[in-house]
Amino acid sequence: MEKHFHLNTPLLESVSMSKHVGTIVYLKMENSQPSGSFKIRGIGHLCQQLARQSKGVVCSSGGNAGMAAAYVARKMGVPATIIVPSSSPQLVVQRLQDQGATVKMIGRVWDDANAEALRLAETEGLTYVPPFDHPLLWQGHATMISEVAASLGPGVKPGAVLVAVGGGGLLCGVIQGLKDVGWTDVPIVAMETVGADCFNAAVKAGRVVTLDDITSEAKCLGAKTVCKKAFEYSQCSELTIISELVTDQQALHAVETFLDEERVLVEMACGAALAAVYSRLIHRLQDEGRLPTQLGPLLVIVCGGSSVDMEQLAYLKHKLHT
């Protein structure tokens, strides 16, 4: 049996969030992974398949994918180079270096960093670890849904799944997982912040589009183009994917409320998913008839928190409340 790098994370019932939405809310605590986010599932799986004999891995990431790649590479005894955009907090750079990775800062947004990662993979013969767009990643991420199914037990399934979308890797993994356990009829509420909304823009346009810029503070959602597979899923009649946006202020408020109520600090990207509960968006979707009034248990993917600390939180509060 192959050793996994990821943990089987807790599935916790949140009494306070359940009170907000009027149905049981379960939290899949992916923030408790060794690298701080769900990314380790897919990246661990991909590296096991592709990087065993590698000279080294290279990954472009504003945070969580880089942390996962650095962690897995260290465990595999393989060198890691992580390319981050200049928008990455110093905290992330330090944590990557603590994992033994070489960190290079290139460009302003993830897309710039990614171009450099692809160049290094080509010129130095490194294994390229994509942060979100690869079937092996989605396969790895899908394991979180089979864990949820095992935790809930036979005959229980979510009324809906709440998930944050950046480049679309988590969304693709969740859908793969729902297929694996036979839950394709469960609606997915795909959450983004205004200004990092490449999935929502694609859904509205009816085709994959590239954003001009990332203006949201939820930097970990900061891909300018969603992966093609996520868009294809949005057009698929067998699935119900509801694409919704919240403001940075709503995402930050969700982070603060979650910290108060659950005693857990997560990043803004994760706050986008939590905000669906705290900003009454779930109620609005029920009022509009897009989610059932009698909603089964709500499954919230608490995707991660490796790029936030109290100092970063204070900075965001100052920036977004002034």
Side-chain angles (χ1 to χ4, degrees):
M1 184 63 187
E2 195 166 49
K3 182 187 170 295
H4 296 306
F5 294 107
H6 67 263
L7 303 176
N8 184 334
T9 52
L11 185 72
L12 305 178
E13 183 184 337
S14 168
V15 174
S16 50
M17 286 180 101
S18 302
K19 214 164 69 180
H20 282 288
V21 282
T23 187
I24 295 176
V25 173
Y26 288 112
L27 304 170
K28 185 62 170 156
M29 301 298 283
E30 288 298 295
N31 59 302
S32 61
Q33 291 290 2
S35 68
S37 85
F38 76 94
K39 293 273 190 186
I40 193 169
R41 290 180 183 271
I43 285 174
H45 181 57
L46 179 131
C47 288
Q48 280 176 322
Q49 303 295 315
L50 303 182
R52 282 190 185 285
Q53 310 300 317
S54 176
K55 283 168 58 179
V57 299
V58 61
C59 179
S60 53
S61 166
N64 290 315
M67 282 299 296
Y71 175 87
V72 169
R74 180 170 66 80
K75 290 291 184 191
M76 289 176 75
V78 169
T81 303
I82 313 296
I83 318 290
V84 300
S86 61
S87 56
S88 307
Q90 185 51 40
L91 147 85
V92 171
V93 174
Q94 187 56 56
R95 285 185 178 169
L96 289 167
Q97 288 168 339
D98 290 346
Q99 288 286 355
T102 301
V103 183
K104 294 183 177 179
M105 206 169 255
I106 303 278
R108 216 173 57 77
V109 293
W110 171 78
D111 302 73
D112 304 332
N114 192 47
E116 174 65 8
L118 288 166
R119 189 190 70 76
L120 283 179
E122 187 68 33
T123 56
E124 298 189 16
L126 302 176
T127 303
Y128 172 68
V129 177
F132 55 80
D133 196 357
H134 198 288
L136 287 173
L137 297 178
W138 312 329
Q139 253 175 27
H141 299 334
T143 54
M144 77 180 75
I145 301 297
S146 36
E147 285 172 21
V148 169
S151 297
L152 292 178
V156 185
K157 70 176 171 184
V161 183
L162 262 178
V163 61
V165 180
L170 176 57
L171 177 62
C172 290
V174 165
I175 292 166
Q176 177 73 54
L178 293 174
K179 287 181 169 188
D180 293 346
V181 300
W183 286 351
T184 45
D185 56 335
V186 173
I188 298 166
V189 183
M191 298 298 300
E192 295 169 285
T193 50
V194 176
D197 47 0
C198 61
F199 179 64
N200 187 267
V203 170
K204 281 181 180 154
R207 60 186 169 81
V208 174
V209 294
T210 299
L211 302 177
D212 293 334
D213 197 9
I214 302 297
T215 54
S216 167
E217 287 300 321
K219 299 300 178 197
C220 292
L221 297 182
K224 292 203 285 190
T225 317
V226 77
C227 70
K228 193 159 148 276
K229 188 69 173 172
F231 172 70
E232 285 167 5
Y233 278 141
S234 77
Q235 305 298 295
C236 169
S237 56
E238 282 101 74
L239 298 166
T240 304
I241 302 174
I242 302 166
S243 170
E244 288 288 332
L245 302 180
V246 287
T247 63
D248 274 1
Q249 284 79 6
Q250 286 172 313
L252 179 62
H253 175 256
V255 167
E256 294 177 286
T257 311
F258 195 69
L259 180 58
D260 283 343
E261 293 186 351
E262 309 294 334
R263 302 166 309 287
V264 174
L265 178 60
V266 294
E267 61 205 29
M268 288 264 293
C270 186
L274 303 174
V277 170
Y278 295 130
S279 70
R280 299 188 60 79
L281 186 135
I282 296 295
H283 288 295
R284 173 167 68 72
L285 293 175
Q286 289 175 303
D287 293 344
E288 290 169 1
R290 294 164 74 198
L291 283 178
T293 340
Q294 293 296 311
L295 192 60
L298 195 59
L299 172 63
V300 182
I301 309 294
V302 183
C303 51
S306 66
S307 66
V308 68
D309 58 8
M310 292 309 288
E311 193 183 331
Q312 179 72 5
L313 186 63
Y315 163 78
L316 289 166
K317 281 169 76 159
H318 176 74
K319 186 163 183 182
L320 293 172
H321 293 329
T322 47

